[in-house]
Amino acid sequence: MPSHSNPTITTIAESAGVSIASVSRVLNGLPVRDATERKVLAAAQSLGYVPNSVARSLKSSRTNQVAFAIEDIGNPVYLAMLREIQPVLKQAGYRLVLHSTGADLDEELEVLRGLGQRYADGLIISPIRVTPEHLAELERATAPVVVIGSLPDGSPVDNVRADSRTGVEMALRHLRDLGRRRIGFVNGPLDTVPGRSRDAAFRAGMRRWGMVLDEDLVHVGAFRRRTGAEATRALLAGDAAAHPDALLCANDLIALGALDVLRERGLRVPEEVAVVGMDDTDLAAASWPALTSVSLGSAERGRRAAQLLLDRLADPGSGREPRVVTVEPSLHVRASTGGDRVADDGAAPR
Amino acid sequence: MPSHSNPTITTIAESAGVSIASVSRVLNGLPVRDATERKVLAAAQSLGYVPNSVARSLKSSRTNQVAFAIEDIGNPVYLAMLREIQPVLKQAGYRLVLHSTGADLDEELEVLRGLGQRYADGLIISPIRVTPEHLAELERATAPVVVIGSLPDGSPVDNVRADSRTGVEMALRHLRDLGRRRIGFVNGPLDTVPGRSRDAAFRAGMRRWGMVLDEDLVHVGAFRRRTGAEATRALLAGDAAAHPDALLCANDLIALGALDVLRERGLRVPEEVAVVGMDDTDLAAASWPALTSVSLGSAERGRRAAQLLLDRLADPGSGREPRVVTVEPSLHVRASTGGDRVADDGAAPR
C-alpha cells in the first residue's frame, strides 16, 4: 500500500528487512548482492518511492576527492599504482587523498569505515589481507570502493586482480627454455597475500613445465635484500652438484641480495646461475647485471582501478553488478638471464 | 575613532591601505612583512577590532587536510619527502591531499590559488621555479604554506632549503682526497633550480679545493640515464691523457648511465674512473658498483616542512616571522669511489 509522502531510507530498510546501508547502496547504484537489490527495489516500489531523491542529495554533497589507501608509501609496487591513479583522477577533476595504513589491519578497516564521514566520493584500497571484517565493511560502504588485490568471488565491490600464477609460469618457462632445471625459489612470508600466492604459483609452474621441485631449493624469509643474500649463501653451502642453476626471487629486492652473494662468490650471472626477480621495479633496470623480472602490471592495475571508480562516480545508477578485472603479467628479460644488455633509460629523478 | 560594531576585514584593509588578504593573514597569524603587520594592527586597533573573531570562524571551517604539491610523483626525491610528510601529518590527525603539477608553472600557481577554496588547512609545495608570480601568490595565500626549495630572503612563508653547495663540496673533497684531479661534471638543464644550483656548487667547490676546472669535462643534458651514457662516451672519445679520473653526476640516474658506459668500455670503477651521484636515491645502493652519492636530505626536508606547517596550524597566532630551515647534506660513500662494498639492505617492497 503506497504511502503519500516519499518513504525514507529507514522505512524502506524496515520493509525490505535489510540494513539502511544496503538501501542507500541500492538507491545510489552501488554494487550489492542480487538478493538484496531485489528486496530493496520491491520494498521501494511498494512504498511508492520516487527514485533519485537520495541520489540527488548525495550528489550535492560531493567532495571531489577520491582516497587511495595502501600499506606503505615506500613500497615501489604501490608507487607504480599511485603514479597512474593520480593523473587519471586529476583529469576527471578529483583530488587524491593518500592513506598509508602501515600494514595495520585495524587502520585498514578504519579507512573503510571513515568513508561514512563523506570526506571522499570514493575509495581505492589495496589491502594486505582480506578478512571477513573487510568483506563486512565493503558490504556496508556508502560510497563506491575498488579493491586492488583478489577478493573472493561474489564480493560486493569492483575488483582489480593480478595474475601471479601466469607471471611465474612465464618466468619458469623462460628458465626451462634456457636449459635450467635446478630452480631455487626465495620467497617472502607465507602469511601475506603475495607470499602465499607466489608460493602457490611456483609450485603450479614447476608442475606445469614438468620440472622437479626440490624442497631444499625453496627458502622463505622477508621481502628484503637480506633474505636474498642469506638464502643464496645457504643454497651455495652444500655440494656443488646440488647448487641451483637458476633462482626465482619473489621480489626484486630479494633478487638484488642474491646477485650480491653470487658476485661475492665469483659465480657468473647468468652463465652459472640465472636470476629472475618479481614486480619489475626501477631497481631491476638499475642493478648489474640488469635484472630479468616478472611484472604483475602494478601500473596497469592502478590505472584500471581508477577507471572503474570513475565509471561508478560518473553514473552511479548503471551496472550494479560488481566487476572483476584481471591484469596480464609480463616478463621483462634482461641481462641476469642473458637478455638484452642495453640499459633501460628509466624515470627522470633530479 | 573606534566604531561601535566590530569592524570587518574590508574596513581594516581600507583603513590600513593594504589588501584584504593581508588583513586576513595578519589576523590569522600567518607570516607577512613587518611593515604590513604594523599597518594592519594599527588600523585594527584604531577601529576597535575585537581580536580572534575571524580566526575563530576560520577554525570552525577546518578541513583536517593538508595538501602536498610536487612536480612529479615518479621522482624519487619527492617520494622521499612524501614518505616522511605523510606519517607526521597522519599522527597530527590530518589527511594528505597529493597534487602533481607535471612541471607546469600554471598548475603550480593554480594549486596556490586553490587554497582560497578551503579544501585544505595548509600546503607544502616544492616548486620547480620561483617566479614573481609565485611570490605574489604566496603573499596572498589565506592558509599557511611551507615551501621546500630556496625562496628569496624576506619571502612571506616558511621555507625549507637544501644546501647543494656544501653537498657538492663534500663530494669534491672526497675525490680530491682519493687523489683525483681531472673531475668531470655531468649536469641536467641549467634553467631548472637544481641544474643551476648544482652548476654553481660544482664551480665553487672546485675553487674551494684548489682544483683546475676544465670546461671540456663539463656536460649538460637531461637528468636522465641517457645523458650520463652520452656524456661519458663523449668524455672518453679523445686522447686518453685528457680523460677524467672521476665523474660527479648531478643525480643518480646520470651516474647509472655513466657506469653503463664505463663498464661497456672495460674501465674499472673506481680504480680508473671514480663515480659520484646525487640525491642518494634507492637506485644508488641497487647499482653495481654501489654508487657513492650526495644526499641533500630530501627525507629530512619533508619531515621539517611538515613540522613547520603543523606548528603554524596548531598555533596560528604565534611567531609571525617566516622561518627558514636549511637541511644539512651528507655524503654516502659506496663502492663507486672505493667505499664500503657491503650492500645496503634498502626498503622492503613486495
Side-chain angles (χ1 to χ4, degrees), chain A residues 107-123:
Chain A
E107 287 209 26
E108 259 180 27
L109 296 172
E110 207 43 63
V111 167
L112 285 166
R113 281 184 210 113
L115 276 180
Q117 296 165 22
R118 289 281 160 77
Y119 70 87
D121 301 335
L123 169 70

Side-chain angles (χ1 to χ4, degrees), chain A residues 65 90 100 107 251 253 347 349, chain B residues 65 90 100 107 251 253 347 349:
Chain A
Q65 298 194 152
K90 180 178 170 180
S100 177
E107 287 209 26
N251 77 353
L253 269 187
Chain B
Q65 298 194 151
K90 180 178 170 182
S100 177
E107 287 209 26
N251 77 353
L253 269 187

Side-chain angles (χ1 to χ4, degrees), chain B residues 204-287:
Chain B
M206 291 294 277
R207 268 197 308 279
R208 166 85 194 265
W209 304 120
M211 292 193 282
V212 179
L213 193 158
D214 179 348
E215 292 291 346
D216 289 344
L217 299 184
V218 177
H219 277 249
V220 173
F223 280 108
R224 298 182 72 88
R225 191 161 179 163
R226 188 171 295 130
T227 287
E230 288 167 357
T232 306
R233 273 193 204 99
L235 289 168
L236 299 176
D239 180 19
H243 290 177
D245 54 14
L247 288 174
L248 176 66
C249 301
N251 77 353
D252 288 344
L253 269 187
I254 292 177
L256 289 183
L259 289 177
D260 290 337
V261 170
L262 292 171
R263 202 182 286 119
E264 180 185 297
R265 298 293 170 93
L267 288 166
R268 283 168 302 141
V269 175
E271 293 81 355
E272 292 171 280
V273 183
V275 179
V276 178
M278 281 186 82
D279 292 333
D280 195 40
T281 63
D282 289 348
L283 302 177
S287 86

Side-chain angles (χ1 to χ4, degrees), chain A residues 65 71-79 82-83 86-87 90 95-102 107 117 119 127-128 192-194 198 223-227 250-251 253 256 260 263 279 281-283 285-288 343-350, chain B residues 65 71-79 82-83 86-87 90 95-102 107 117 119 127-128 192-194 198 223-227 250-251 253 256 260 263 279 281-283 285-288 343-350:
Chain A
Q65 298 194 152
E71 176 201 336
D72 169 20
I73 286 180
N75 184 327
V77 173
Y78 296 130
L79 289 175
L82 178 61
R83 279 186 214 176
Q86 201 271 342
K90 180 178 170 180
R95 284 187 295 269
L96 179 86
V97 175
L98 188 64
H99 291 291
S100 177
T101 60
E107 287 209 26
Q117 296 165 22
Y119 70 87
I128 37 165
T192 61
V193 170
R198 289 166 198 200
F223 280 108
R224 297 182 75 88
R225 191 162 179 163
R226 188 171 294 130
T227 287
N251 77 353
L253 269 187
L256 289 184
D260 290 337
R263 202 182 286 119
D279 293 333
T281 63
D282 289 348
L283 301 177
S287 87
W288 187 261
D344 296 41
D345 193 51
R350 48 149 238 220
Chain B
Q65 298 194 151
E71 176 200 335
D72 169 19
I73 286 181
N75 183 328
V77 174
Y78 296 130
L79 288 175
L82 178 60
R83 278 185 214 176
Q86 201 270 343
K90 180 178 170 182
R95 285 187 294 269
L96 178 86
V97 175
L98 188 64
H99 291 290
S100 177
T101 60
E107 287 209 26
Q117 296 164 24
Y119 70 88
I128 37 165
T192 60
V193 171
R198 290 166 197 200
F223 280 108
R224 298 182 72 88
R225 191 161 179 163
R226 188 171 295 130
T227 287
N251 77 353
L253 269 187
L256 289 183
D260 290 337
R263 202 182 286 119
D279 292 333
T281 63
D282 289 348
L283 302 177
S287 86
W288 187 262
D344 295 40
D345 193 52
R350 45 154 240 219

